Amino acid sequence: QVRLVESGGGLVQPGGSLRLSCAASGIVFRTFDMDWYRQAPGNQRELVATISTAGNTNYADSVKGRFTTSRDNAKNTLYLQMNSLKPEDTAVYYCHTKNRIDYWGQGTQVTVSS
């Protein structure tokens, strides 16, 4: 059974930082490309960052230079380091991977507000 569990969300002031984690189980983690998505109220879910099995990364233009994704294959864990946070980064953040079907975590809320 594939399970993705996000953690690390919370309330942070504009300009602050958070690090999200996604613990994976039920998959051979090192063989899966992984993604971070986010969904703000009233908006569609959008792709934020991707990391390949080789560690190659891509980012949405809106977070480029501020967010960094990484992975620790020994710990079966995906990370998203978020710096210089803005109110428009407020959303539920989801971990995602795909084989023949999509696998999603339950999401973690990030709120950027003063």
Side-chain angles (χ1 to χ4, degrees), residues 32-43:
F32 280 73
D33 295 338
M34 301 294 298
D35 313 303
W36 289 100
Y37 281 76
R38 68 184 180 187
Q39 187 168 20
N43 290 359

Side-chain angles (χ1 to χ4, degrees), residues 58-107:
N58 282 289
Y59 301 93
D61 287 343
S62 58
V63 307
K64 207 169 289 185
R66 300 187 298 120
F67 290 12
T68 303
T69 190
S70 60
R71 63 193 299 160
D72 186 335
N73 291 334
K75 295 182 178 180
N76 292 346
T77 302
L78 175 71
Y79 301 102
L80 184 67
Q81 178 67 43
M82 306 186 294
N83 299 328
S84 302
L85 283 160
K86 305 175 181 180
E88 52 264 43
D89 295 318
T90 296
V92 178
Y93 284 72
Y94 297 91
C95 179
H96 168 266
T97 192
K98 182 174 182 177
N99 192 348
R100 284 184 291 277
I101 64 173
D102 292 287
Y103 299 106
W104 296 93
Q106 84 288 351

Side-chain angles (χ1 to χ4, degrees), residues 4-10 18-23 36 77-80 82 93 95 106-110:
L4 303 174
V5 180
E6 302 94 337
S7 61
L18 282 175
R19 189 174 85 151
L20 306 183
S21 299
C22 171
W36 289 100
T77 302
L78 175 71
Y79 301 102
L80 184 67
M82 306 186 294
Y93 284 72
C95 179
Q106 84 288 351
T108 186
Q109 176 70 49
V110 172

